[in-house]
PDB file of all heavy atoms in Angstrom:
ATOM      1  N   HIS P 408      91.613 124.388 161.719  1.00 97.00           N
ATOM      2  CA  HIS P 408      90.227 124.176 161.872  1.00 97.00           C
ATOM      3  C   HIS P 408      89.953 123.700 163.389  1.00 97.00           C
ATOM      4  O   HIS P 408      89.236 124.260 164.074  1.00 97.00           O
ATOM      5  CB  HIS P 408      89.698 123.102 160.852  1.00 97.00           C
ATOM      6  CG  HIS P 408      88.296 122.874 160.982  1.00 97.00           C
ATOM      7  ND1 HIS P 408      87.339 123.466 160.115  1.00 97.00           N
ATOM      8  CD2 HIS P 408      87.569 122.016 161.924  1.00 97.00           C
ATOM      9  CE1 HIS P 408      86.028 122.980 160.545  1.00 97.00           C
ATOM     10  NE2 HIS P 408      86.252 122.140 161.495  1.00 97.00           N
ATOM     11  N   GLU P 409      90.614 122.614 163.672  1.00 97.00           N
ATOM     12  CA  GLU P 409      90.413 122.097 165.098  1.00 97.00           C
ATOM     13  C   GLU P 409      90.875 123.041 166.208  1.00 97.00           C
ATOM     14  O   GLU P 409      90.242 123.160 167.170  1.00 97.00           O
ATOM     15  CB  GLU P 409      91.105 120.756 165.144  1.00 97.00           C
ATOM     16  CG  GLU P 409      90.579 119.600 164.308  1.00 97.00           C
ATOM     17  CD  GLU P 409      88.991 119.357 164.350  1.00 97.00           C
ATOM     18  OE1 GLU P 409      88.421 119.661 165.387  1.00 97.00           O
ATOM     19  OE2 GLU P 409      88.525 118.981 163.290  1.00 97.00           O
ATOM     20  N   HIS P 412      88.194 125.390 166.919  1.00 98.00           N
ATOM     21  CA  HIS P 412      87.297 124.897 167.889  1.00 98.00           C
ATOM     22  C   HIS P 412      87.917 125.129 169.197  1.00 98.00           C
ATOM     23  O   HIS P 412      87.065 125.251 170.257  1.00 98.00           O
ATOM     24  CB  HIS P 412      86.983 123.379 167.643  1.00 98.00           C
ATOM     25  CG  HIS P 412      86.051 123.217 166.415  1.00 98.00           C
ATOM     26  ND1 HIS P 412      84.790 123.700 166.310  1.00 98.00           N
ATOM     27  CD2 HIS P 412      86.166 122.415 165.286  1.00 98.00           C
ATOM     28  CE1 HIS P 412      84.265 123.460 165.158  1.00 98.00           C
ATOM     29  NE2 HIS P 412      85.122 122.548 164.578  1.00 98.00           N
ATOM     30  N   GLU P 437      81.116 126.033 163.900  1.00 97.00           N
ATOM     31  CA  GLU P 437      81.848 125.915 162.641  1.00 97.00           C
ATOM     32  C   GLU P 437      82.324 127.155 162.117  1.00 97.00           C
ATOM     33  O   GLU P 437      83.222 127.207 161.295  1.00 97.00           O
ATOM     34  CB  GLU P 437      81.126 125.021 161.591  1.00 97.00           C
ATOM     35  CG  GLU P 437      80.927 123.555 162.095  1.00 97.00           C
ATOM     36  CD  GLU P 437      82.222 122.803 162.176  1.00 97.00           C
ATOM     37  OE1 GLU P 437      83.175 123.066 161.470  1.00 97.00           O
ATOM     38  OE2 GLU P 437      82.275 121.955 163.124  1.00 97.00           O
ATOM     39  N   SER P 440      85.849 127.590 163.718  1.00 98.00           N
ATOM     40  CA  SER P 440      86.887 126.678 163.096  1.00 98.00           C
ATOM     41  C   SER P 440      87.227 127.215 161.733  1.00 98.00           C
ATOM     42  O   SER P 440      88.339 127.255 161.252  1.00 98.00           O
ATOM     43  CB  SER P 440      86.534 125.258 163.274  1.00 98.00           C
ATOM     44  OG  SER P 440      85.163 125.068 162.628  1.00 98.00           O
TER      45      SER P 440
HETATM   46 ZN1   ZN A 209      84.617 121.414 162.773  1.00 57.13          ZN
END
Side-chain angles (χ1 to χ4, degrees):
H408 181 100
E409 297 306 333
H412 285 308
E437 292 298 326
S440 54

